Amino acid sequence: MDRNPMFCYQCEQTAGGKGCTKMGVCGKTPEIANLQDLLLHQAKGISCYCVDLIEKGETIEKEIVSFVENSLFTTLTNVNFDAEVHVEMLKKSQQIKKDLRNRVSGDKSYPDQATYNLSDTKEEMLEDSIKAGIMYDKDLNEDVRSLRQTIIFGLKGVSAYAHQARALKYEDDQVDNFYFRALEAVTNGNLSVEELIQMTMRTGDMSVAVMKLLDDANTTKYMHPTPHKVNVNIQKGPFIIVSGHDLRDLEMLLEQTEGKGINIYTHGEMLPSHGYPELNKYSHLVGNYGGAWQDQQKEFDGIPGCMLMTTNCLMRPRETYKDRIFTTSVVGWDGVEYIPADKDGYKDFSKIIDKALELGGFQSSEKPKEILVGFGHNATLSHASEIISAVKSGDLRHFFLIGGCDGARPGRNYYTDLAKMVPKDCIILTLACGKYRFNKLQFGEVAGLPRLLDVGQCNDAYSAVRIATALADAFDTDVNGLPLSIVLSWYEQKAVADLLALLSLGVKGIFLGPSLPAFISPNVLQYLVDTFNLRPISTPEEDLKTCLQQSV
């Protein structure tokens, strides 16, 4: 029995809309939650020393950057549930902090996050973790707490995108240094609410920068996505389902399974992979299996194949498939086979390949059913002249960006209903796994284009911005002057990073749901409403009416 209670409110489905205190809705135990709190405590301490060294002109080693990045990513929702992994990371964090402490000089006073020394055993670490808890300082101003946590959750989203880019050898020193500056800022008791708001918006700037970085990495390595039909029904034969977000992991698996008679299916946020020419050239990338992350337990239940989880979106594996689900990167669950990378980033997938062959796969094929993906900014803007002409002629009335994280909480049918209600002279852009609420429906065409354009993964909010900016330039206005409405669903911290990115770009009038974040205090929410006209969703009918009142 865990001795310490937990407190976590970083995801949309947090208990009672207030915070998980006994067990995470995601499956996170109090033990894992408290170890994660302590790991973040350590990352903040590391950052305090790093900021001092940066100010003195020193360069922080990329190994330290990667560790802090992985610490943030590991604590993101539905990533890692393995206590021993957290303990090993905590031990490494103390060694890094000790080395940095020896590099700084002077008599400067540092906060507890920096001066704290990690205890020797897991039991002692758990006792120490109490002071690392979000609600430990009962007297902390609620707006300060709210903004600090918004920054941290935004950083977690940034870390996920930066981690993917780093796997492709793309890095951004500005983003790397920002980890330290932002984590140091949330330990600084002298910062005002106004200064923390500035840091929150700066987190949005970094989210834009890192999404651009990842877009550059993906489109350079795998070429720009192009429209591509994807079969969403199964085919006969052995198979591996790849879930998460990491394109490099998918590529390595495709390389290692080529010619072995194994079908590869994408799952969840990996669906947009089919749009990349350097990935869809593999004939054994046969389709997409299932829907969004929250359905994986029933979708994976007892099927005769293997699953590979490459980033977040892992749920508690059922015993019926625990022996055939594998994790890699920062993902982990106690008792689940983990596939490591060597020093060059290469991963040997022979264990999952052998298991897939042993299981034999599906015994028959279903009749193919196809959906269309691949409308990133390059593909969509290749039709810019037709889009502009259609808008000017009145054939194309409005654009709706409907997307974001999906989840299991009641109320998410709103997004399905809204998409169905969008008039036939409008285009729907979609991204992230929220698209599964409606991406198998038939929407037809308008002005010679599909009415539903799949822009990509959650990080491809950058693509949507590129599309919107280009159209705004064509109409000599800004994004807020376009006939464009943005309706977002959120679940975890990458969605927080995406929202902060849009706000930092000055985008106004965003609809957000299905509920507002528990970590946003009333005063901070009022600031967002007053400054950015941020709106909670209401009903599809009312919100659609509001959206269609906009015009160029």
Side-chain angles (χ1 to χ4, degrees):
M1 179 67 68
D2 297 298
R3 291 186 298 273
N4 300 332
M6 64 181 285
F7 183 84
C8 181
Y9 60 0
Q10 67 180 7
C11 86
E12 191 271 335
Q13 290 180 185
T14 194
K18 296 180 179 180
C20 294
T21 57
K22 295 180 180 179
M23 182 80 176
V25 173
C26 64
K28 182 165 60 177
T29 63
E31 177 182 72
I32 296 297
N34 292 328
L35 291 173
Q36 290 187 351
D37 286 345
L38 192 59
L39 183 57
L40 288 175
H41 194 75
Q42 288 285 82
K44 294 171 190 176
I46 288 169
S47 298
C48 291
Y49 292 126
C50 286
V51 168
D52 270 9
L53 294 170
I54 291 169
E55 294 296 336
K56 293 174 182 176
E58 293 195 33
T59 300
I60 305 301
E61 294 79 0
K62 291 300 181 183
E63 292 78 9
I64 297 176
V65 174
S66 292
F67 179 81
V68 170
E69 183 174 89
N70 287 347
S71 296
L72 288 162
F73 194 5
T74 296
T75 62
L76 190 146
T77 301
N78 291 97
V79 174
N80 198 296
F81 301 81
D82 191 327
E84 295 313 310
V85 169
H86 288 83
V87 170
E88 289 305 309
M89 291 185 73
L90 280 162
K91 290 178 180 177
K92 185 173 181 180
S93 73
Q94 185 59 34
Q95 185 58 55
I96 291 172
K97 194 161 69 169
K98 180 180 177 182
D99 293 343
L100 288 168
R101 192 181 287 157
N102 291 334
R103 287 168 59 180
V104 299
S105 57
D107 299 322
K108 179 177 176 178
S109 176
Y110 288 97
D112 179 75
Q113 292 92 334
T115 59
Y116 164 73
N117 289 312
L118 188 72
S119 295
D120 294 330
T121 68
K122 182 174 74 172
E123 290 69 25
E124 291 171 319
M125 293 177 194
L126 287 168
E127 290 296 333
D128 292 350
S129 71
I130 295 173
K131 63 181 177 183
I134 293 171
M135 306 302 291
Y136 177 68
D137 184 353
K138 303 296 184 185
D139 297 324
L140 185 64
N141 177 280
E142 70 169 345
D143 298 329
V144 169
R145 191 192 320 274
S146 175
L147 290 165
R148 285 179 176 179
Q149 293 308 128
T150 303
I151 292 166
I152 290 170
F153 299 153
L155 282 180
K156 291 187 180 190
V158 169
S159 75
Y161 298 148
H163 178 96
Q164 288 175 251
R166 206 176 302 276
L168 296 174
K169 312 301 182 187
Y170 276 67
E171 300 174 348
D172 185 329
D173 290 342
Q174 177 186 218
V175 173
D176 291 351
N177 284 340
F178 184 75
Y179 288 139
F180 305 128
R181 294 190 181 280
L183 286 170
E184 186 273 338
V186 299
T187 71
N188 189 336
N190 295 320
L191 294 186
S192 65
V193 167
E194 289 72 21
E195 289 170 320
L196 286 169
I197 287 173
Q198 292 174 9
M199 184 59 74
T200 305
M201 291 300 104
R202 185 67 175 147
T203 306
D205 292 339
M206 291 302 104
S207 183
V208 175
V210 80
M211 285 194 286
K212 179 183 184 304
L213 180 73
L214 183 53
D215 181 78
D216 289 345
N218 287 339
T219 57
T220 301
K221 176 72 172 175
Y222 305 113
M223 301 176 62
H224 282 280
T226 57
H228 190 81
K229 291 182 179 179
V230 182
N231 184 16
V232 295
N233 284 342
I234 62 172
Q235 293 192 32
K236 180 180 178 180
F239 65 90
I240 299 172
I241 297 167
V242 185
S243 193
H245 305 74
D246 199 294
L247 303 188
R248 177 61 182 137
D249 284 337
L250 174 61
E251 180 188 33
M252 283 189 283
L253 183 64
L254 287 167
E255 291 171 346
Q256 293 176 42
T257 50
E258 193 167 22
K260 294 188 176 181
I262 297 177
N263 292 327
I264 304 297
Y265 298 89
T266 56
H267 175 266
E269 281 264 49
M270 292 298 282
L271 169 61
S273 307
H274 293 268
Y276 290 92
E278 288 300 303
L279 294 175
N280 67 40
K281 70 181 182 181
Y282 291 93
S283 60
H284 62 302
L285 180 62
V286 298
N288 188 76
Y289 180 85
W293 65 273
Q294 76 275 4
D295 295 326
Q296 68 187 256
Q297 289 174 321
K298 63 181 181 182
E299 290 175 348
F300 294 169
D301 196 359
I303 58 175
C306 294
M307 292 71 69
L308 175 67
M309 307 300 294
T310 65
T311 57
N312 60 309
C313 300
L314 175 66
M315 297 179 71
R316 176 192 294 274
R318 292 180 179 175
E319 291 303 318
T320 53
Y321 63 84
K322 195 172 183 180
D323 64 334
R324 61 195 66 185
I325 187 168
F326 294 72
T327 64
T328 190
S329 185
V330 297
V331 190
W333 193 288
D334 181 37
V336 167
E337 184 83 33
Y338 177 80
I339 299 173
D342 65 17
K343 61 181 178 61
D344 298 316
Y346 179 79
K347 299 177 183 180
D348 180 358
F349 288 112
S350 58
K351 286 187 177 181
I352 190 172
I353 291 170
D354 292 344
K355 186 70 173 178
L357 290 170
E358 173 195 328
L359 290 167
F362 296 119
Q363 296 303 301
S364 60
S365 298
E366 296 175 337
K367 182 180 179 180
K369 177 181 179 180
E370 294 180 326
I371 60 175
L372 194 60
V373 302
F375 286 93
H377 58 86
N378 192 65
T380 301
L381 291 175
S382 69
H383 298 281
S385 59
E386 300 101 288
I387 293 172
I388 292 165
S389 296
V391 172
K392 289 182 176 179
S393 68
D395 293 334
L396 178 52
R397 184 175 16 159
H398 203 85
F399 299 88
F400 289 83
L401 173 58
I402 307 175
C405 299
D406 202 7
R409 182 191 291 272
R412 288 182 180 267
N413 285 339
Y414 164 96
Y415 297 93
T416 311
D417 295 340
L418 178 65
K420 287 179 177 179
M421 291 177 189
V422 169
K424 296 186 183 302
D425 58 354
C426 302
I427 279 179
I428 301 171
L429 303 168
T430 192
L431 50 81
C433 63
K435 73 185 70 165
Y436 284 104
R437 291 280 165 177
F438 48 81
N439 70 341
K440 294 183 177 71
L441 303 177
Q442 297 299 313
F443 287 94
E445 294 187 349
V446 61
L449 287 171
R451 287 188 56 234
L452 180 66
L453 302 180
D454 188 335
V455 178
Q457 293 183 342
C458 51
N459 49 281
D460 289 310
Y462 174 75
S463 256
V465 167
R466 286 281 300 272
I467 294 166
T469 302
L471 292 177
D473 290 344
F475 288 109
D476 194 25
T477 183
D478 60 14
V479 171
N480 295 313
L482 286 174
L484 167 68
S485 298
I486 300 176
V487 187
L488 297 181
S489 57
W490 80 282
Y491 174 71
E492 39 86 335
Q493 297 80 67
K494 284 182 291 181
V496 176
D498 293 350
L499 176 62
L500 293 180
L502 293 171
L503 298 182
S504 76
L505 292 169
V507 178
K508 296 183 178 181
I510 296 170
F511 291 83
L512 184 64
S515 64
L516 294 176
F519 53 85
I520 297 293
S521 68
N523 287 335
V524 171
L525 176 60
Q526 193 60 51
Y527 169 82
L528 295 175
V529 170
D530 292 344
T531 308
F532 300 103
N533 193 24
L534 186 68
R535 316 175 194 209
I537 61 171
S538 58
T539 66
E541 294 83 358
E542 284 300 313
D543 292 344
L544 181 64
K545 181 180 177 181
T546 301
C547 293
L548 291 175
Q549 291 173 349
Q550 301 178 35
S551 61
V552 177

